[in-house]
Amino acid sequence: MWLLNKLFAQGDQPTPRFAFQGTVNWMRGLALQSEDGFSHESLRQFYQRVQRRQPNEEGDALAFESLTMSMHNVSAIDSMEQIDNPYPIVRAAIIAWYYATYYASKSMLAASSGADPQTHALTAKVWQSDIVRPGLVKTPFDLSITDITPVHVREAMDGLRNGNRHDLNTEPTDLEMAYGAILSYLKGTAEYEQWRLEEQVKASAAYRDGGHTSFRSNAAKALRDVKLRPAHVNYLVQAFRYRGKANYRDAIYLSYGRNDTERLRQFVSDLGAVSGNFSLMAAHYVARRVVRDDWEAYVADIGEYSQFDLPYELGEI
């Protein structure tokens, strides 16, 4: 493969097999882990203790808008599943999955406190404090680590794994393998965030003035850990990192090299299933928080005027 050889000759490049496996196996794991527990009845039970908040017209409007955007993106993926050749649309499917996830989380924040964070990073931060920490997210979307110092990440992962040694290199075929794949991506994202924040520390005046060249000394570790301790990794942080697979260097392995048509068909289906479950979870939460009459009006209105196929039945919420 001439292009592949050319890319490797230019420096650091992900190995095609591992880049592809990591992309499709995380989504396969999420699909398997969220296959049960996301029915209307299960979600009604999960949110049965959530109380309706005081009326917040602005927050409710944002929740309805964001939920509609989320459903539109899920519907886009559902439509893509009908295309026989997945290669031309796979990158678009990842982007639709990301925005289905992003807008679903925005709808939950708007319904929770009326918050409207303006960046993707801030959305993930507020979602951690307002939604994840209070236990308002169903497994597997609830997994997170706060304090991403190396020692704490190792301890947290040991606790979560509890002996599970499966990773992203093998396609999950059961729930245990799926959980191992999900944890592998969580760990990888924590390590990526560590690296990203460490690079910020290395660029700081305190690091330079201290004459540090690594984080081996206690003083350098202290500078680093001040940055890493309050940091977190959650599903939205992972989603933001994953979106890059559609835009940056891993994306070429979704369109070039070995023919993996059947696995890509499954991958697009998994993108739809995972984003659909996450969006439906958000819809149930929103319905519990907004003004009841407004929710019923929204359901009737979107059912009459939506110009795309709704990915789930709002009337059953």
Side-chain angles (χ1 to χ4, degrees):
M1 290 182 231
W2 181 89
L3 176 58
L4 186 61
N5 292 333
K6 194 76 170 174
L7 292 174
F8 272 103
Q10 297 306 308
D12 183 37
Q13 191 72 16
T15 303
R17 183 171 69 86
F18 292 118
F20 182 84
Q21 299 281 53
T23 300
V24 301
N25 288 345
W26 185 54
M27 201 55 56
R28 181 90 280 261
L30 289 170
L32 287 171
Q33 279 283 324
S34 63
E35 201 166 36
D36 296 323
F38 284 82
S39 66
H40 285 291
E41 182 57 33
S42 295
L43 289 165
R44 274 193 291 269
Q45 291 180 11
F46 185 75
Y47 288 120
Q48 63 182 340
R49 296 181 182 274
V50 172
Q51 297 184 353
R52 205 167 301 279
R53 69 175 180 190
Q54 291 298 311
N56 180 337
E57 287 286 340
E58 185 176 357
D60 285 5
L62 179 60
F64 293 135
E65 177 188 20
S66 297
L67 185 59
T68 304
M69 296 287 280
S70 177
M71 290 191 294
H72 191 189
N73 280 284
V74 177
S75 181
I77 305 173
D78 290 344
S79 297
M80 292 177 197
E81 287 188 56
Q82 310 307 314
I83 298 173
D84 186 58
N85 181 4
Y87 277 98
I89 54 88
V90 66
R91 292 177 66 196
I94 295 175
I95 295 298
W97 167 85
Y98 174 75
Y99 280 103
T101 302
Y102 174 70
Y103 280 112
S105 66
K106 290 272 286 185
S107 73
M108 294 181 78
L109 290 178
S112 173
S113 62
D116 184 19
Q118 295 300 301
T119 67
H120 295 252
L122 186 55
T123 299
K125 181 178 181 179
V126 180
W127 198 70
Q128 178 72 19
S129 61
D130 289 10
I131 305 297
V132 178
R133 195 171 297 155
L136 297 171
V137 188
K138 289 206 76 173
T139 300
F141 306 119
D142 61 336
L143 292 172
S144 69
I145 300 174
T146 298
D147 179 355
I148 61 170
T149 54
V151 170
H152 185 260
V153 168
R154 284 195 296 271
E155 292 174 350
M157 291 308 306
D158 285 345
L160 288 169
R161 281 199 174 274
N162 193 28
N164 186 317
R165 297 303 172 199
H166 296 290
D167 58 27
L168 289 166
N169 295 325
T170 304
E171 180 180 1
T173 57
D174 58 38
L175 292 177
E176 183 179 0
M177 294 177 72
Y179 187 61
I182 291 170
L183 292 180
S184 184
Y185 196 77
L186 179 68
K187 179 176 180 288
T189 304
E191 290 172 346
Y192 172 80
E193 286 295 298
Q194 285 173 0
W195 169 82
R196 188 180 65 82
L197 294 174
E198 284 174 354
E199 291 301 301
Q200 293 180 12
V201 174
K202 288 178 181 179
S204 69
Y207 185 87
R208 292 195 306 271
D209 293 346
H212 304 299
T213 58
S214 71
F215 293 111
R216 292 179 181 176
S217 71
N218 289 335
K221 287 178 182 176
L223 285 175
R224 178 199 66 187
D225 291 353
V226 165
K227 196 82 168 176
L228 297 184
R229 279 198 190 94
H232 64 271
V233 172
N234 58 29
Y235 186 61
L236 289 190
V237 175
Q238 293 178 87
F240 187 68
R241 176 187 174 219
Y242 193 80
R243 183 183 69 160
K245 292 181 178 295
N247 291 330
Y248 302 111
R249 63 182 190 169
D250 283 19
I252 192 169
Y253 303 121
L254 296 173
S255 61
Y256 170 83
R258 189 179 69 182
N259 188 309
D260 280 299
T261 297
E262 290 305 316
R263 290 198 68 188
L264 274 192
R265 287 198 185 107
Q266 180 66 62
F267 176 56
V268 173
S269 177
D270 288 342
L271 288 167
V274 172
S275 61
N277 287 336
F278 190 84
S279 182
L280 179 60
M281 178 186 73
H284 272 265
Y285 177 74
V286 169
R288 295 288 299 182
R289 294 288 288 167
V290 300
V291 174
R292 184 189 298 274
D293 289 346
D294 285 356
W295 174 258
E296 294 174 356
Y298 170 72
V299 171
D301 184 73
I302 205 75
E304 181 175 359
Y305 292 107
S306 170
Q307 299 304 312
F308 60 89
D309 292 333
L310 298 179
Y312 42 79
E313 180 53 62
L314 286 170
E316 293 187 27
I317 297 177

